[in-house]
Amino acid sequence: MTRRLICEAMGTALLLAAVVGSGIMGERLAGGNVAVALLANAIATGAALTVLITIFGPLSGAHFNPAVTLYFALRGDTPWRTALAYLPVQVIAAILGVWLAHAMFGLPVIQVSAHLRDGPAQWLAEFVATCGLLLTIAGGIRFAPHSVPVLVAL
């Protein structure tokens, strides 16, 4: 269990560092072109997610998100004891991953966002993104030839 928690923490932190870091780098390099920054962030995020699922899928299940953990627990693929252990690890690792990205780009580690992100459109976007993450992880694990037997044993 300790190894799985460490792997889940590493994968979650690295995913958040990649998402936030690629967003920062994309914004800096795009010269004000929001579409280019978004494209760069999306490509980097997709590539990072693919690599992290491949690496950590056989070791921890590569959940990286409480919604994914709850999905697998509700399906019966992850024992509830494991799921309850994953949830705080994922939240803490996500915060550490964001702090790592900020530190890597010379930004204040702890900062308050200057962009207001609330309202129905934001909730819809979060729902769609979470569904996309679930599909990516569940599909990546399901169709990865070597990780399926290991994950069933978890």
Side-chain angles (χ1 to χ4, degrees):
M1 177 62 104
T2 301
R3 182 183 76 154
R4 284 187 269 172
L5 291 173
I6 291 169
C7 290
E8 192 66 18
M10 289 175 57
T12 302
L14 290 171
L15 177 60
L16 268 289
V19 170
V20 173
S22 64
I24 294 167
M25 184 57 79
E27 190 175 306
R28 287 183 179 178
L29 294 176
N33 188 329
V34 178
V36 171
L38 182 59
L39 179 63
N41 184 243
I43 291 170
T45 297
L49 189 56
T50 300
V51 169
L52 292 170
I53 290 170
T54 302
I55 293 169
F56 292 110
L59 302 172
S60 72
H63 297 186
F64 308 144
N65 183 310
V68 176
T69 298
L70 293 174
Y71 166 79
F72 282 116
L74 289 169
R75 280 182 37 144
D77 294 334
T78 299
W80 280 101
R81 181 175 155 250
T82 302
L84 293 175
Y86 274 22
L87 298 178
V89 167
Q90 291 165 340
V91 171
I92 292 166
I95 293 167
L96 294 174
V98 171
W99 288 354
L100 175 62
H102 287 183
M104 290 188 317
F105 289 97
L107 297 172
V109 172
I110 299 174
Q111 55 183 287
V112 177
S113 176
H115 303 286
L116 180 61
R117 293 180 174 98
D118 68 349
Q122 181 66 37
W123 284 103
L124 177 62
E126 288 296 331
F127 176 79
V128 170
T130 300
C131 288
L133 180 65
L134 283 168
L135 288 171
T136 302
I137 292 173
I141 288 171
R142 179 177 178 166
F143 298 110
H146 300 296
S147 63
V148 174
V150 175
L151 290 173
V152 172
L154 293 176

